[in-house]
Amino acid sequence: MDRKKERPMPDRLPQEAGEAGDSLLAVHGGNPVRRTPWPTYDKGAVFIHPEDEEAALRAIRSHLYFRYDHRAQHETECGRLEEDLRRYFGSRHALAVSSGTAAIALAIMAARIPPGSLVACPGFTFAATPSAILLAGCRPFLVEVDEDLHLDLADLRRRWTPEIKAIVVVHMRGFASDMESLTRFAAEMGVPVFEDAVPALGAELNGRKLGTFGLAGAFSTQSDKSLNCGEGGFLITDDSVLFARAVVLSGAYEGRFRRHFPDGDPPIDTDLDLPLLSFRMDEIRAALLRAELERLPIRLKCFRSNHAYVAAALADLPGIAIRRPVAPGACLGEAFIFRVPGGDAKWFAHALCREGIDARNLGSDEDANVRAFWNWRFLFGGAEVSSIKALLPGTARYLAEAVDVPLSSGLSTEDCDQLIRAVRKVAAAMGADRRPAPAAGTTAPAGRRR
Ligand SMILES: Cc1ncc(COP(=O)(O)O)c(C=O)c1O
């Protein structure tokens, strides 16, 4: 669904249903707020239009699937996509690749971060971030997140060691990190910042696109992302040497990297110094992405208005603390996240699911969510979960309190109203029940008002 206009803010909060007669939770045998499945992230059909199909078919019918064939860069789908991305982000360079993970690893490797170095990243991110650091031959150094689930700079500063040679910041679930403070700190320490902007394609911080603050920005075009071609990604940067090295590493062999510098000499002489990792994008995906990029602003508007509408309607709800952006509007809007401080977030998410809303407690111990650092066993050998959690106690606590609801760009006003009603209904029941968190010594829900 294309909604070209911002969704109007609710003049009447949709809280009445869920009060009179209907307050019995579905989890206790009452009527659910919603009976049809919650539209989850856009796994496919939601935002693919006939013009996108045509673009992909055009590439298929051309029978030219490899980006580095006889054609010049500006005649290929990949080359054109990179030109469109450069224009969209206002960056000097763009490189289409095979995944977001590849884009992060390429940025680290192309920047010559010495193998074996520590690379800092937040303890709340998709497992792909520390995996990309490993792929680049480095070691992840996990950093706490704050109560709004942003990288906690105070923790990074406190535990800083000269072995840390780079920072990968993550705009997790589309929420910008505080790039001004972080880039200032990184400059002080003399290390580069790379942005894992995978979940935030198109989101801005103070009018500037995420991914353009660091030395390089990495994005994914896998199915859940703002641009969706099933698998894929890209890298943007203003650094020409980093870019040239990334092009070679991604698999541009036998001088093909020169095609990426049509207007002048490339800043490196040879490609023989670098391994070839075959992280290239193909022509069919690039054609699909170029078509989608044209309609991206419409999709971004839907995300933003869904999130603003739901957040405004629930802003004053006692018992929950809605995740706050670091600046007004500094989030994509593809997820509605709130904490239940002192309450039982696992129960809250379960009760929401029974009301017909797809909700997940991010730090549930019954759910091997790969966004929670204690589930990254590949980093910790055979260590006990409790001792892994003790490494980042703040992050472990905030994730345990957090509930995550996907906000598809295709949500209707009715969908949003049902989400609002369901959250109000569960919060009201929690208030009545006073369901404390399982951990001992917790207080009643704080009822933070903002
Ligand atoms: C924060 C983050 N970083 C990196 C990735 C990896 O992207 P890809 O699946 O394209 O490798 C993801 C995937 O969802 C992600 O959420």
Side-chain angles (χ1 to χ4, degrees), residues 28 32 65 194 197 245 334 371 421:
H28 293 151
Y65 305 148
F194 302 110
R245 290 171 55 82
E334 52 125 36
R371 291 150 199 85
R421 275 206 306 274

Side-chain angles (χ1 to χ4, degrees), residues 99-101 104 125-126 128-129 170 172 196 198-199 220 222 225 232:
S99 73
T101 306
I104 302 166
T125 178
F126 192 69
T129 315
V170 185
M172 191 51 179
D196 177 344
V198 163
S220 168
Q222 181 251 352
K225 311 304 181 293

Side-chain angles (χ1 to χ4, degrees), residues 111-127:
R112 296 176 189 267
I113 304 302
S117 306
L118 290 177
V119 173
C121 76
F124 171 48
T125 178
F126 192 69

Side-chain angles (χ1 to χ4, degrees), residues 386-403:
S386 57
S387 57
I388 301 173
K389 283 187 179 179
L391 298 173
L392 300 179
T395 305
R397 188 172 92 238
Y398 296 136
L399 291 181
E401 293 176 345
V403 176

Side-chain angles (χ1 to χ4, degrees), residues 174-231:
F175 278 70
S177 284
D178 179 355
M179 293 310 294
E180 202 182 304
S181 309
L182 189 65
T183 49
R184 208 179 315 118
F185 171 76
E188 202 184 303
M189 296 300 162
V191 303
V193 174
F194 302 110
E195 289 176 80
D196 177 344
V198 163
L201 202 172
E204 296 183 359
L205 169 61
N206 298 326
R208 183 167 162 186
K209 290 211 165 50
L210 295 177
T212 65
F213 288 85
L215 182 59
F219 295 84
S220 168
T221 57
Q222 181 251 352
S223 67
D224 290 344
K225 311 304 181 293
S226 310
L227 295 174
N228 158 18
C229 63
E231 299 287 355

